[in-house]
């Protein structure tokens, strides 16, 4: 299936400080594109991949699992590491969980994390029924466009494929067990009025990671997809200041980044 217009991956060749951005479950790079472009305009090397099964139609997710999504961001991190002196990982929602696992497994190869409304658990009584229900019902209503700002929509699926939902539930359990292995500096921004991921997820993450350099910011004006909401500029500016503090200066441009898979675009 062709990638939906606007859901394409994004790459920008900048300096020796790189950022990998991870989008959320059933979402697409569109939710993080303004953030990626903000960073690119300030000289950073940026990679915003499209996760397998995303950005086309929800049925395509049924054949994918957390292993596929994680493998994609793991591969992108390795590409950035070959090209950049310092690499940060930013994530929204499930993308935050992907970022946390990269940090837990790659150690010093990840300089720091910026997490926006990171997900840690599939909530609700229905979550416990997923192992059985996914064989009976293919999907349920979607979770897209939880945005307070009027006239803004998220490019994401309007249905949640339940095989994939079962897989993400398994993934969250794995990441939760690995949280004590996260030692990098962390900037966590979350919305008290998030209708998709409750504040309890951010609290649990902050309580279980081993990082000592941690900053928490409340996004009072935004819902779940805060990167497209009223607090977007604050997220962008705080994250850029975070990278500047930990890795001052972009440095000289290194070797060009290799082109990604079909459909990728280059900013700048």
């Amino acid at each position: 299936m062709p990638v939906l217009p606007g859901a394409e991956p994004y790459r920008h060749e900048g300096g020796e400080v790189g950022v990998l951005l991870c989008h959320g479950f059933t979402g697409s790079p569109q939710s993080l594109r303004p953030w990626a472009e903000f960073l690119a305009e300030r000289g950073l090397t940026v990679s915003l991949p499209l996760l397998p099964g995303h950005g086309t139609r929800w049925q395509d997710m049924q054949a994918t699992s957390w292993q596929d999504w994680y493998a994609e961001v793991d591969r992108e991190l390795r590409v950035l590491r070959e090209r950049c002196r310092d690499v940060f990982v930013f994530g929204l929602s499930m993308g935050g969980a992907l970022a946390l696992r990269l940090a837990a497994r790659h150690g010093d190869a990840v300089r720091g994390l910026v997490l926006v409304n990171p997900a840690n658990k599939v909530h609700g009584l229905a979550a416990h029924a997923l192992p059985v229900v996914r064989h009976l019902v293919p999907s349920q209503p979607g979770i897209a466009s939880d945005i307070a700002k009027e006239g803004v929509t998220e490019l994401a699926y309007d249905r949640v494929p339940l095989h994939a939902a079962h897989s993400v539930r398994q993934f969250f359990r794995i990441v939760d067990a690995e949280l004590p292995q996260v030692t990098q500096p962390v900037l966590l921004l979350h919305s008290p009025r998030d209708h998709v991921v409750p504040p309890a997820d951010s609290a649990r993450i902050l309580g279980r990671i081993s990082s000592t350099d941690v900053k928490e910011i409340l996004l009072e004006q935004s819902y779940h997809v805060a990167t497209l909401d009223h607090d977007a500029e604050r997220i962008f500016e705080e994250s850029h200041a975070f990278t500047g503090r930990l890795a001052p200066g972009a440095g000289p441009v290194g070797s060009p980044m290799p082109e990604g898979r079909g459909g990728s675009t280059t900013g700048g």
Side-chain angles (χ1 to χ4, degrees):
M1 288 291 294
V3 174
L4 295 170
E8 302 89 357
Y10 172 86
R11 289 180 177 84
H12 173 79
E13 206 181 295
E16 290 190 341
V17 175
V19 176
L20 168 61
L21 296 105
C22 308
H23 70 75
F25 181 67
T26 74
S28 74
Q30 177 260 358
S31 63
L32 302 182
R33 181 67 177 256
W35 195 4
E37 292 177 342
F38 178 95
L39 298 169
E41 288 168 1
R42 283 151 184 80
L44 279 73
T45 291
V46 179
S47 175
L48 171 53
L50 172 65
L51 300 179
H54 293 70
T56 54
R57 55 177 193 156
W58 70 261
Q59 291 89 342
D60 294 332
M61 279 194 73
Q62 293 286 49
T64 66
S65 67
W66 73 261
Q67 290 92 338
D68 301 307
W69 314 324
Y70 180 76
E72 182 69 14
V73 295
D74 185 83
R75 183 183 69 84
E76 291 294 326
L77 175 62
R78 294 174 190 274
V79 170
L80 281 172
R81 282 295 301 165
E82 291 176 358
R83 191 211 174 286
C84 297
R85 183 190 71 229
D86 294 291
V87 178
F88 295 81
V89 185
F90 297 179
L92 167 68
S93 195
M94 181 189 76
L98 291 169
L100 286 162
R101 187 160 207 251
L102 288 172
R105 294 179 69 86
H106 286 274
D108 292 342
V110 175
R111 186 69 183 89
L113 299 175
V114 178
L115 311 173
V116 178
N117 292 322
N120 177 257
K121 183 179 180 181
V122 175
H123 296 270
L125 294 174
H128 299 286
L130 275 174
V132 174
V133 173
R134 67 192 175 106
H135 296 293
L136 306 173
V137 181
S139 68
Q140 65 182 23
I143 54 175
S145 294
D146 186 35
I147 300 171
K149 193 173 185 179
E150 289 187 13
V152 179
T153 58
E154 178 190 13
L155 182 56
Y157 294 147
D158 60 1
R159 304 291 299 179
V160 173
L162 295 190
H163 280 299
H166 175 64
S167 184
V168 81
R169 181 171 180 249
Q170 294 176 315
F171 178 60
F172 288 159
R173 287 178 169 178
I174 291 168
V175 174
D176 186 69
E178 295 177 342
L179 288 178
Q181 299 173 39
V182 176
T183 60
Q184 295 89 340
V186 172
L187 172 63
L188 191 151
L189 309 98
H190 67 97
S191 308
R193 296 184 297 161
D194 186 327
H195 304 99
V196 178
V197 174
D201 283 29
S202 288
R204 181 168 177 84
I205 289 167
L206 291 174
R208 285 181 57 76
I209 59 176
S210 299
S211 306
T212 56
D213 183 348
V214 177
K215 183 177 181 180
E216 179 183 12
I217 295 175
L218 294 183
L219 305 173
E220 301 281 2
Q221 307 302 316
S222 301
Y223 294 164
H224 182 62
V225 191
T227 50
L228 297 178
D229 216 327
H230 293 295
D231 292 296
E233 286 296 323
R234 184 178 186 191
I235 294 170
F236 304 166
E237 291 168 1
E238 290 280 0
S239 67
H240 183 241
F242 178 77
T243 62
R245 175 171 68 85
L246 295 169
V253 175
S255 57
M257 288 186 69
E259 285 298 321
R261 296 167 187 169
S264 65
T265 59
T266 301

